Amino acid sequence: MSNYGEHLWVGQIGNGFVILSLIAAVLSAVGYYFYSKEVLTSEWKRFANVAFSIHSISIIGIAATIFFMLFNHYYEYSYVYQHSNNEMPMQYIMSCFWEGQEGSFLLWAFWNVVLGNILRRTIDAKWEAPTMAIFALVQVFIASMLLGIFIGDYKLGTNPFLLLRENPDFANMPFLSIPGFPTKIDGRGLNPLLMNYWMTIHPPTLFLGFSSTLVPFVFAIAGLWKRDFTTWQKPALTWTFFSIMILGTGILMGGAWAYEALSFGGFWAWDPVENSSLVPWLVMVGAGHVMIINKNKGGSLFMTHLMAIASFLLVLYSTFLTRSGILGNSSVHAFTDLGMQGQLVVYVLTFVLICVVLLIHDKLIRVSYLMVSFMMLFLGIVIGYKIILLLTWLGISFVITIYSYMKFFPKEEEEESLYSREFWMFVGSLVFLLASLVITYFTSIPVLNKLFSLEKAPIKVADYNLWMVPFAIVALVLVAVTQFFKYQKTDPKRFIKHITWSGVFAVIFGLSAVIPLYFLKEYSLAKSIDKWNLISYAILFISALFAVFCNLDYWMRTLKGKTRHAGASIAHIGFALILLGALISTSKKQTISQNTSQKNVASLGENFSAKKSLVLTKGDTLPMGNYLVTYKGKEHKGIDVFFHMDYFTKDKYGKLVKAFELSPMVQDNPRMGQASNPDTKHFLGSDIYTHITYADLSDNRAVKKDAYKEPTNFVGHMHDTIFADNAIILIDSITTNLTEEQYSKNDSLLVVTAVLKATDINGTVYRATPKYILKNNTVLPDEFELNELGLKFIFWKINPQEGSIEIQMSEKVNNTREFVVLEAYMFPFINVLWLGCLVMIIGTVVAIMERRRKNRTQLG
């Protein structure tokens, strides 16, 4: 223990594990590489496996050390200080672990070693060396992200065991010089948005999904390595659908967290980080389907390699987007830049380089490409022009990839028939790939801005929806009809016969729903939605029903209701229900919190509108949608402030009957700021979603009625605004009784008056004139009480150089009736979406189990 009371031994153990994990990963990659050369096979295999086991133990050791520090509140360590505190419930200790960059990288490395150890114990000997060599190389890069060392001016990784006094952001804090300071301070705490049960399960599930994309990737790389473009797909197929299932589950959990914890009013906002997890999933879905084509008919070899490889590379790209700081404020999920932007770029480009090199058959071209690549890297380091060199290298890599595909890659001898299952499955995979490219382009706008010095603004949610709806319609139609095709060739008449009744039912039920939903004015929002959107919504609705009916028909009639064989049909039904639920709940989302009070909500600021913000005064009962709502008051539970509201309906006699209670919450975190958490009432047919947008969070229960709160100091300029709980105060003008010259010549009394205009919630304007009095260079404090609003002002300082003034404002406790501003939305049929999530996951699990059963049968 140091003189400051620091537990240095813990960090030394952790750093030892970090260094050991990196060395072991390097040795493992080298061992598996030489094992693949089939020289001293058993020795290199044993060496590589031992090294990978040591690496695995080291990763677990790093994680255990961090948890030990978090449990014991070792605030002398920067990571513990930044992500936890004494007040935080221990149930969120896991959220602390992966809130920061270091913890999330470690979570990724942990799942990689779990999957890597499963893979090396179950894989065929033919594929063990090349797959595990790439696996270990990935771990080398992730382990390097935890080093936190400087090589010259370049920082390699960020270390979770950095002492607080060694962190440049905290090194000058005065308490660091106090002996025993770690036990005398408290940490900054967890981000309030992460203090949610979903955030204890969503990140590990999502990162397991990210890790799972590595397995099909290493198989595809091994296929290129061994020049065996087909047989790797059999063991990779089960892993691919496991990746589809677990990554999809992680994404859906993120949507559930956003719906329950965030206050934007929805489950998906096309946030860049949301997109960067969705895109690898879309590509992996395409990869799984082209692998099925190859398994049943052969062919599509290039596409299986391309999509299996692209899915993992897109995970790496999403890592760059999320952790490089390049997204700035365009994402609520993104991490800040910790100086790892260059390292992340190298991480991504290294695996692009490996893929291109292994794709090249001609040795001269391969060697030339490697020489040019390293020369361009050297030039970028020495002379700069990094962006030009990067774009040039990417162009060269793309050209060589196309050339190698055209020249050396195996091609299909026959074109697929238009009436074949493989043709339409291939088309469906292309649809998913194209959709992912469109999303990637829009998500990458911050990157393009930086590369080309542009100032292009990210597109809005409505624009994303406009682009994605056509892709969704095509995907749903393909999901509906493709299973009715046979491989190689299908009788067109028989095919039409199979899908006719499903199509008829989809059109009948669809039109009976979409006409009142979108086209009849008394039921729809047709005036607020343009005609193309209405038509596209109707087509999407009918397409989703068509997909559900077709897959139910295929399950019941073609598969005779056998669930074991119906995994694909069940997953397709779930996919269709997700899109159907998302369509209805978002397009028919209804704002029910229009302001029905007499209060002027717009006076609170430009973000408040009578169209969506309801002012609720304590004790009042106001209509809201189909309910009447009463605000009962607030309740403090630690740093959480709950606002209790009763919702009533009227019985047949007109008497109010309590229907339910909601308590939206605002977390008043002294270090992290305020965060609003919604509360939702779930019904079978809809949800009532509410959150607080304005409230007084102070606890006034123990304060005398006529007492004032502690004064707050405001530094402002002319026409700046000061916010009180019950009014908005404008610094309208400043007057003085003397000029500066007059004051300097005479020993006179200088009086400077700040003219303030205070507007209350009803729009009534009051005038306050606090005075700054200077006599004999001494400031004489002068209070001005605005009794109508229970406010007291002291104009106590003038900053002539900045052109600003300083005013202290005190607010009288309980001077007005307590009120809140509430936003509430009704999401119809959102349970269709959540049902679709469960159905899709179940269907994918059934498909995986059936695939494993068939593999065991074939081996037996």
Side-chain angles (χ1 to χ4, degrees), residues 113 172 202 216 224 324 367 383 545 631 669 713 743 809 818 860:
V113 299
N172 295 323
H202 160 56
L224 296 176
S324 64
V367 172
I383 67 172
L545 289 181
Y631 171 44
N669 191 308
N713 190 62
Y743 177 71
M809 182 184 72
E818 183 183 329

Side-chain angles (χ1 to χ4, degrees), residues 326-629:
I326 200 166
L327 291 178
N329 296 323
S330 63
S331 171
V332 298
H333 302 76
F335 293 90
T336 56
D337 184 11
L338 294 182
M340 294 194 297
Q341 193 171 109
Q343 190 176 353
L344 290 166
V345 171
V346 172
Y347 187 8
V348 176
L349 297 184
T350 296
F351 288 96
V352 174
L353 175 72
I354 291 171
C355 296
V356 177
V357 167
L358 291 176
L359 190 60
I360 301 171
H361 284 225
D362 188 286
K363 186 175 182 180
L364 177 61
I365 297 176
R366 188 187 309 128
V367 172
S368 300
Y369 173 71
L370 283 169
M371 291 178 62
V372 169
S373 298
F374 288 119
M375 182 183 70
M376 295 177 76
L377 176 63
F378 175 77
L379 291 174
I381 295 172
V382 174
I383 67 172
Y385 300 103
K386 293 183 180 67
I387 293 177
I388 295 174
L389 289 169
L390 173 62
L391 294 175
T392 303
W393 180 81
L394 289 174
I396 293 171
S397 301
F398 179 75
V399 170
I400 290 178
T401 299
I402 298 301
Y403 171 78
S404 299
Y405 164 68
M406 299 297 294
K407 185 79 173 175
F408 304 110
F409 215 87
K411 312 292 191 307
E412 291 78 22
E413 295 182 1
E414 296 181 4
E415 294 290 334
E416 292 91 350
S417 168
L418 182 64
Y419 290 98
S420 65
R421 181 181 293 187
E422 60 269 24
F423 176 82
W424 292 107
M425 286 178 69
F426 186 83
V427 170
S429 298
L430 284 180
V431 169
F432 276 75
L433 180 61
L434 290 173
S436 67
L437 291 175
V438 171
I439 297 171
T440 300
Y441 168 74
F442 289 129
T443 306
S444 301
I445 286 175
V447 180
L448 298 175
N449 286 342
K450 183 166 185 177
L451 285 175
F452 302 107
S453 301
L454 303 174
E455 295 182 357
K456 188 176 178 63
I459 70 170
K460 299 178 180 179
V461 172
D463 297 320
Y464 270 112
N465 293 337
L466 186 66
W467 276 90
M468 287 300 108
V469 164
F471 286 105
I473 292 170
V474 174
L476 285 168
V477 172
L478 292 173
V479 159
V481 304
T482 301
Q483 288 188 105
F484 290 103
F485 286 105
K486 294 181 178 180
Y487 287 104
Q488 295 186 341
K489 195 171 183 180
T490 306
D491 180 6
K493 293 182 180 179
R494 188 176 181 85
F495 166 74
I496 297 296
K497 181 180 178 182
H498 277 306
I499 67 170
T500 298
W501 283 111
S502 295
V504 169
F505 286 135
V507 171
I508 292 174
F509 285 107
L511 289 177
S512 63
V514 299
I515 289 174
L517 277 175
Y518 298 118
F519 296 100
L520 294 182
K521 292 183 180 179
E522 59 267 31
Y523 296 109
S524 74
L525 302 176
K527 291 183 178 179
S528 61
I529 305 176
D530 63 60
K531 186 174 293 185
W532 160 247
N533 279 337
L534 291 174
I535 294 171
S536 64
Y537 291 167
I539 297 173
L540 182 59
F541 191 104
I542 294 170
S543 300
L545 289 181
F546 185 42
V548 171
F549 291 149
C550 278
N551 281 277
L552 279 172
D553 180 43
Y554 188 83
W555 181 8
M556 293 296 114
R557 292 204 296 172
T558 305
L559 299 178
K560 309 299 182 185
K562 295 179 180 178
T563 303
R564 191 177 73 180
H565 301 298
S569 297
I570 296 171
H572 292 164
I573 291 170
F575 177 72
L577 290 175
I578 289 173
L579 293 182
L580 183 62
L583 169 67
I584 300 174
S585 61
T586 54
S587 66
K588 298 298 294 181
K589 172 184 172 183
Q590 183 180 351
T591 303
I592 60 174
S593 54
Q594 291 89 354
N595 191 24
T596 54
S597 72
Q598 300 301 312
K599 305 292 191 299
N600 180 17
V601 68
S603 65
L604 292 173
E606 59 182 15
N607 293 326
F608 297 90
S609 167
K611 294 181 179 180
K612 64 176 183 178
S613 302
L614 173 64
V615 180
L616 273 174
T617 303
K618 185 176 179 179
D620 286 352
T621 301
L622 296 175
M624 190 178 79
N626 296 325
Y627 301 94
L628 290 103
V629 59

Side-chain angles (χ1 to χ4, degrees), residues 234-250:
K234 181 179 177 182
L237 185 57
T238 302
W239 283 102
T240 300
F241 277 92
F242 170 77
S243 181
I244 292 169
M245 183 271 293
I246 200 69
L247 182 55
T249 302

